[in-house]
Amino acid sequence: MVSEFRRPHCYHVNVPGETRIRAVAQGNAAPDRAEMQDKIVELLRDVVRGFRLQQARLAGEQFPFPGYGPSLAAVREIAEHPGITVNELARLTGLPKSRVSVLMTRLAAQRIVRKDSDEHDSRLVRLHITPEGRQCVADWTVASQRAIGALLQPLGDGELDVIARGLAALQRAFQRPQEQGMADRPGSPPC
């Protein structure tokens, strides 16, 4: 049944077999449910890949944001959490600390981000978005929404409703582990 879901020339999802076996053994998923979960993971990867390709095309053709993808995600997090540290930013973005550090050095050189020393601990660097950074994010967001809107335009209202409800359900599913993780770490800053 899984083969019906796979398209030619598409990347296949590598879900460890023990994940499906454990889910079935725990009564959490029947074999058909495990196959559906595999389908969802594969479709999500395809959609995310398509979204990234659309962003890259947009960046190359319409909007010269100094960096997109991880850079844009990091800048958005800094805008939402002024004074965040590199370690906190790495945790929020899921990127390795070394990659975040390199991104911040590059974005600071482009005057998108400002790096300030912590007033209580000189070893810590606090990150802040600059006015230029805020403008880049705002411009990118408008251009990105326009481009993605053009992709969604041919879809019918029913299809858009199904997509919106499905994405909202996924968003709730992603929030549960984050909320539980935050509850397990007393004193952790809210995400």
Side-chain angles (χ1 to χ4, degrees):
M1 184 169 175
V2 172
S3 62
E4 322 174 344
F5 299 130
R6 295 214 169 108
R7 292 171 300 172
H9 307 293
C10 126
Y11 292 96
H12 296 288
V13 178
N14 185 11
V15 176
E18 69 269 8
T19 302
R20 264 182 265 124
I21 293 168
R22 188 176 20 216
V24 172
Q26 293 174 345
N28 292 339
D32 289 338
R33 183 175 174 96
E35 290 173 1
M36 183 59 73
Q37 289 172 343
D38 286 350
K39 174 187 174 185
I40 290 168
V41 170
E42 185 172 328
L43 289 170
L44 276 173
R45 287 194 178 188
D46 284 350
V47 167
V48 168
R49 187 177 304 108
F51 184 72
R52 286 184 181 151
L53 289 171
Q54 180 69 6
Q55 284 184 318
R57 186 183 66 74
L58 173 69
E61 292 177 8
Q62 298 175 21
F63 185 71
F65 184 73
Y68 55 91
S71 297
L72 184 61
V75 171
R76 283 185 172 158
E77 290 294 344
I78 295 166
E80 291 177 19
H81 304 94
I84 192 171
T85 65
V86 170
N87 283 338
E88 293 165 340
L89 185 58
R91 183 180 52 79
L92 286 174
T93 60
L95 296 170
K97 182 184 169 193
S98 59
R99 182 148 185 218
V100 170
S101 184
V102 169
L103 279 174
M104 292 308 102
T105 299
R106 190 184 70 188
L107 292 173
Q110 295 170 334
R111 294 192 170 112
I112 303 294
V113 170
R114 190 180 77 239
K115 297 162 84 175
D116 298 326
S117 295
D118 185 271
E119 59 186 55
H120 301 292
D121 185 349
S122 60
R123 295 171 296 174
L124 285 180
V125 173
R126 300 282 176 184
L127 304 168
H128 298 275
I129 190 167
T130 65
E132 295 91 344
R134 282 193 195 286
Q135 189 59 53
C136 278
V137 170
D139 292 347
W140 175 264
T141 300
V142 168
S144 183
Q145 287 172 341
R146 224 178 282 134
I148 299 305
L151 288 175
L152 297 176
Q153 187 63 37
L155 301 179
D157 291 346
E159 291 173 303
L160 291 174
D161 183 56
V162 168
I163 292 168
R165 285 187 288 124
L167 290 174
L170 277 173
Q171 185 179 41
R172 288 190 302 274
F174 286 131
Q175 287 173 344
R176 282 191 287 270
Q178 289 176 344
E179 290 167 358
Q180 183 178 6
M182 295 310 291
D184 293 343
R185 284 179 263 166
S188 294
C191 292

